[in-house]
Amino acid sequence: MITISSTAFSRDVYGYIKDGKGTPVPNADVRIMQKHRSIFIGQTETDSIGMFRVGNVPEDTITINVSSVGFELKEVELYNYSCPLHIILLEKVHALDEVTVTANSTVLYKNKVSFFPSKKEKKISNGGYNLLYNMPISVLSVNPLLKSITTNMGDGVEVFINGIPASSVEVQNIRTEDVKKVEYLEQPSDPRFNNARYALNIVVARYDRGGYTKIDGQQRFVTPSGNYSVYTHYELGKMAYDLLGGFEYDKQSHFGERSNTVYNFPNLTMDKSDYKMGKTKTKQGYATFRAKYVSDSMTIANSVGVQINRTPYRNLSGNTSIMLEDREVPDEFTFESHRDERYYSFEWNRKFNIELQFLGR
């Protein structure tokens, strides 16, 4: 057996992040990637004087990504560089006295950024994820197909609707015409956001009396699978009710996998081959009901849900063969399994939030 190893030299990469006026930018997110291999190397945040340091960085071409609320995302490619580095971030906004307003309907407060969708963005969007994707929210990466929302650096973002945790189905079924603004917060102190590192709060209009119903569905034909849902939202005074029902299925008529592994021992070589093939079908049905009481100082939400998962069949067969170097005929083992399973789950959640205000004279 011949082992080939290589050693790469590494170093500390450090520097300063400042704005266009030379003012340090604290709490900026700094990530370093190895360019040619697209390998994540390290991540840190700038301190109070805008300084950062990442250790064990290979001496190769690297890419540094820097992001901070209120600034454009900065990407710097470096090779044959020296430290300390000096990176300048460009502001996205023009400052006013109390808030900061941009030309694309963005308002920057001290602890959050608010984005206001245009009529056109609402009109062309089908659901919450499409609306977020169509809005110019530079600090987020939104994938409507996967129904995922992350920061530009890939960190997860917790999503809320009017300050209440929202599932992906609830976000998808938002009536875009009702969205008033979208708030992005980092480490918010508001207890409604459950100590989230990154939070997105979608603020929607409320009804005095009334609501809407949305039907959504997707169907794939090459590999048969689909998901369908019906969502109803109704409000009466300070009470709001949500009813959601849906069905999903996935069918794979044929799938297979082949692998080969060689084990080298001091006096023996063993060759193991595995081959698996089968077919499967899964189904899932779910229903959720939620009731909310919302006032200026109090929010109470109760939800109850049930989910049924069934696998009508999962048939798997194949063989495993083991060949030793001193044998001409391998030892072969065959296997076959059939499963029909189902399980049920029940969930109940309750959320209570009250805000006390004391007024002095």
mmCIF file of all heavy atoms in Angstrom, residues 236-255:
data_model
loop_
_atom_site.group_PDB
_atom_site.id
_atom_site.type_symbol
_atom_site.label_atom_id
_atom_site.label_comp_id
_atom_site.label_asym_id
_atom_site.label_seq_id
_atom_site.Cartn_x
_atom_site.Cartn_y
_atom_site.Cartn_z
ATOM 1 N N LEU A 236 -62.230 37.921 12.893
ATOM 2 C CA LEU A 236 -63.434 38.528 13.439
ATOM 3 C C LEU A 236 -63.028 39.316 14.679
ATOM 4 O O LEU A 236 -62.715 38.744 15.721
ATOM 5 C CB LEU A 236 -64.481 37.468 13.795
ATOM 6 C CG LEU A 236 -65.792 37.985 14.403
ATOM 7 C CD1 LEU A 236 -66.510 38.909 13.426
ATOM 8 C CD2 LEU A 236 -66.688 36.820 14.803
ATOM 9 N N GLY A 237 -63.011 40.629 14.562
ATOM 10 C CA GLY A 237 -62.566 41.460 15.670
ATOM 11 C C GLY A 237 -61.096 41.197 15.987
ATOM 12 O O GLY A 237 -60.233 41.263 15.109
ATOM 13 N N LYS A 238 -60.819 40.865 17.241
ATOM 14 C CA LYS A 238 -59.444 40.593 17.666
ATOM 15 C C LYS A 238 -59.076 39.115 17.553
ATOM 16 O O LYS A 238 -57.961 38.733 17.920
ATOM 17 C CB LYS A 238 -59.237 41.063 19.110
ATOM 18 C CG LYS A 238 -59.365 42.573 19.267
ATOM 19 C CD LYS A 238 -59.096 43.010 20.703
ATOM 20 C CE LYS A 238 -59.193 44.522 20.822
ATOM 21 N NZ LYS A 238 -58.921 45.001 22.204
ATOM 22 N N MET A 239 -59.987 38.315 17.037
ATOM 23 C CA MET A 239 -59.725 36.884 16.866
ATOM 24 C C MET A 239 -59.380 36.588 15.408
ATOM 25 O O MET A 239 -59.929 37.190 14.485
ATOM 26 C CB MET A 239 -60.935 36.051 17.281
ATOM 27 C CG MET A 239 -61.251 36.085 18.767
ATOM 28 S SD MET A 239 -59.907 35.392 19.785
ATOM 29 C CE MET A 239 -59.830 33.702 19.151
ATOM 30 N N ALA A 240 -58.443 35.651 15.225
ATOM 31 C CA ALA A 240 -58.062 35.204 13.879
ATOM 32 C C ALA A 240 -58.001 33.682 13.883
ATOM 33 O O ALA A 240 -57.506 33.069 14.838
ATOM 34 C CB ALA A 240 -56.714 35.788 13.474
ATOM 35 N N TYR A 241 -58.503 33.068 12.797
ATOM 36 C CA TYR A 241 -58.565 31.614 12.709
ATOM 37 C C TYR A 241 -57.893 31.160 11.408
ATOM 38 O O TYR A 241 -58.084 31.761 10.347
ATOM 39 C CB TYR A 241 -60.012 31.132 12.740
ATOM 40 C CG TYR A 241 -60.801 31.620 13.937
ATOM 41 C CD1 TYR A 241 -61.570 32.789 13.854
ATOM 42 C CD2 TYR A 241 -60.762 30.937 15.139
ATOM 43 C CE1 TYR A 241 -62.285 33.256 14.945
ATOM 44 C CE2 TYR A 241 -61.487 31.395 16.249
ATOM 45 C CZ TYR A 241 -62.235 32.551 16.139
ATOM 46 O OH TYR A 241 -62.938 33.007 17.229
ATOM 47 N N ASP A 242 -57.118 30.095 11.517
ATOM 48 C CA ASP A 242 -56.449 29.518 10.355
ATOM 49 C C ASP A 242 -56.743 28.022 10.300
ATOM 50 O O ASP A 242 -56.610 27.314 11.320
ATOM 51 C CB ASP A 242 -54.932 29.723 10.429
ATOM 52 C CG ASP A 242 -54.556 31.195 10.454
ATOM 53 O OD1 ASP A 242 -54.581 31.808 9.391
ATOM 54 O OD2 ASP A 242 -54.233 31.713 11.546
ATOM 55 N N LEU A 243 -57.131 27.552 9.134
ATOM 56 C CA LEU A 243 -57.386 26.133 8.924
ATOM 57 C C LEU A 243 -56.593 25.683 7.704
ATOM 58 O O LEU A 243 -56.711 26.266 6.626
ATOM 59 C CB LEU A 243 -58.878 25.867 8.710
ATOM 60 C CG LEU A 243 -59.273 24.403 8.457
ATOM 61 C CD1 LEU A 243 -58.914 23.542 9.667
ATOM 62 C CD2 LEU A 243 -60.762 24.300 8.141
ATOM 63 N N LEU A 244 -55.799 24.644 7.891
ATOM 64 C CA LEU A 244 -54.930 24.161 6.814
ATOM 65 C C LEU A 244 -55.063 22.649 6.687
ATOM 66 O O LEU A 244 -55.039 21.923 7.681
ATOM 67 C CB LEU A 244 -53.471 24.515 7.114
ATOM 68 C CG LEU A 244 -52.403 23.872 6.235
ATOM 69 C CD1 LEU A 244 -52.491 24.420 4.811
ATOM 70 C CD2 LEU A 244 -51.016 24.115 6.813
ATOM 71 N N GLY A 245 -55.213 22.186 5.459
ATOM 72 C CA GLY A 245 -55.242 20.757 5.184
ATOM 73 C C GLY A 245 -54.439 20.461 3.934
ATOM 74 O O GLY A 245 -54.398 21.271 3.004
ATOM 75 N N GLY A 246 -53.779 19.311 3.917
ATOM 76 C CA GLY A 246 -52.954 19.015 2.756
ATOM 77 C C GLY A 246 -52.656 17.540 2.601
ATOM 78 O O GLY A 246 -52.906 16.725 3.497
ATOM 79 N N PHE A 247 -52.132 17.204 1.423
ATOM 80 C CA PHE A 247 -51.803 15.817 1.085
ATOM 81 C C PHE A 247 -50.560 15.818 0.210
ATOM 82 O O PHE A 247 -50.418 16.645 -0.699
ATOM 83 C CB PHE A 247 -52.971 15.154 0.353
ATOM 84 C CG PHE A 247 -52.662 13.788 -0.191
ATOM 85 C CD1 PHE A 247 -52.637 12.684 0.648
ATOM 86 C CD2 PHE A 247 -52.372 13.608 -1.542
ATOM 87 C CE1 PHE A 247 -52.334 11.421 0.149
ATOM 88 C CE2 PHE A 247 -52.076 12.356 -2.048
ATOM 89 C CZ PHE A 247 -52.058 11.253 -1.194
ATOM 90 N N GLU A 248 -49.643 14.881 0.472
ATOM 91 C CA GLU A 248 -48.430 14.728 -0.323
ATOM 92 C C GLU A 248 -48.199 13.251 -0.614
ATOM 93 O O GLU A 248 -48.569 12.392 0.200
ATOM 94 C CB GLU A 248 -47.208 15.282 0.416
ATOM 95 C CG GLU A 248 -47.287 16.752 0.763
ATOM 96 C CD GLU A 248 -46.079 17.237 1.544
ATOM 97 O OE1 GLU A 248 -45.146 16.407 1.758
ATOM 98 O OE2 GLU A 248 -46.042 18.418 1.951
ATOM 99 N N TYR A 249 -47.592 12.964 -1.752
ATOM 100 C CA TYR A 249 -47.240 11.587 -2.049
ATOM 101 C C TYR A 249 -45.987 11.550 -2.919
ATOM 102 O O TYR A 249 -45.652 12.519 -3.612
ATOM 103 C CB TYR A 249 -48.394 10.848 -2.742
ATOM 104 C CG TYR A 249 -48.482 11.097 -4.225
ATOM 105 C CD1 TYR A 249 -47.915 10.200 -5.142
ATOM 106 C CD2 TYR A 249 -49.123 12.224 -4.736
ATOM 107 C CE1 TYR A 249 -47.984 10.422 -6.508
ATOM 108 C CE2 TYR A 249 -49.206 12.445 -6.093
ATOM 109 C CZ TYR A 249 -48.634 11.552 -6.978
ATOM 110 O OH TYR A 249 -48.697 11.771 -8.324
ATOM 111 N N ASP A 250 -45.300 10.444 -2.872
ATOM 112 C CA ASP A 250 -44.090 10.255 -3.677
ATOM 113 C C ASP A 250 -43.997 8.775 -4.048
ATOM 114 O O ASP A 250 -44.179 7.904 -3.188
ATOM 115 C CB ASP A 250 -42.842 10.684 -2.898
ATOM 116 C CG ASP A 250 -41.585 10.523 -3.730
ATOM 117 O OD1 ASP A 250 -41.383 11.303 -4.669
ATOM 118 O OD2 ASP A 250 -40.796 9.597 -3.434
ATOM 119 N N LYS A 251 -43.747 8.513 -5.324
ATOM 120 C CA LYS A 251 -43.689 7.134 -5.806
ATOM 121 C C LYS A 251 -42.430 6.926 -6.632
ATOM 122 O O LYS A 251 -42.154 7.681 -7.563
ATOM 123 C CB LYS A 251 -44.923 6.816 -6.645
ATOM 124 C CG LYS A 251 -44.968 5.384 -7.174
ATOM 125 C CD LYS A 251 -46.230 5.150 -7.981
ATOM 126 C CE LYS A 251 -46.283 3.720 -8.521
ATOM 127 N NZ LYS A 251 -47.500 3.490 -9.331
ATOM 128 N N GLN A 252 -41.663 5.935 -6.275
ATOM 129 C CA GLN A 252 -40.472 5.555 -7.024
ATOM 130 C C GLN A 252 -40.634 4.105 -7.471
ATOM 131 O O GLN A 252 -40.595 3.187 -6.644
ATOM 132 C CB GLN A 252 -39.211 5.707 -6.171
ATOM 133 C CG GLN A 252 -38.943 7.135 -5.724
ATOM 134 C CD GLN A 252 -37.622 7.277 -4.981
ATOM 135 O OE1 GLN A 252 -36.607 6.707 -5.381
ATOM 136 N NE2 GLN A 252 -37.657 8.025 -3.895
ATOM 137 N N SER A 253 -40.863 3.922 -8.769
ATOM 138 C CA SER A 253 -41.110 2.578 -9.287
ATOM 139 C C SER A 253 -39.848 1.735 -9.349
ATOM 140 O O SER A 253 -39.916 0.500 -9.341
ATOM 141 C CB SER A 253 -41.737 2.668 -10.694
ATOM 142 O OG SER A 253 -42.944 3.383 -10.647
ATOM 143 N N HIS A 254 -38.713 2.404 -9.434
ATOM 144 C CA HIS A 254 -37.463 1.643 -9.493
ATOM 145 C C HIS A 254 -36.309 2.533 -9.042
ATOM 146 O O HIS A 254 -36.167 3.656 -9.506
ATOM 147 C CB HIS A 254 -37.184 1.144 -10.914
ATOM 148 C CG HIS A 254 -35.866 0.447 -11.060
ATOM 149 N ND1 HIS A 254 -35.691 -0.863 -10.682
ATOM 150 C CD2 HIS A 254 -34.665 0.883 -11.510
ATOM 151 C CE1 HIS A 254 -34.434 -1.215 -10.917
ATOM 152 N NE2 HIS A 254 -33.780 -0.168 -11.414
ATOM 153 N N PHE A 255 -35.540 2.032 -8.118
ATOM 154 C CA PHE A 255 -34.309 2.711 -7.750
ATOM 155 C C PHE A 255 -33.261 1.647 -7.434
ATOM 156 O O PHE A 255 -33.578 0.508 -7.044
ATOM 157 C CB PHE A 255 -34.507 3.653 -6.552
ATOM 158 C CG PHE A 255 -34.874 2.966 -5.256
ATOM 159 C CD1 PHE A 255 -33.903 2.508 -4.387
ATOM 160 C CD2 PHE A 255 -36.206 2.806 -4.904
ATOM 161 C CE1 PHE A 255 -34.243 1.893 -3.197
ATOM 162 C CE2 PHE A 255 -36.566 2.186 -3.718
ATOM 163 C CZ PHE A 255 -35.576 1.722 -2.859
#
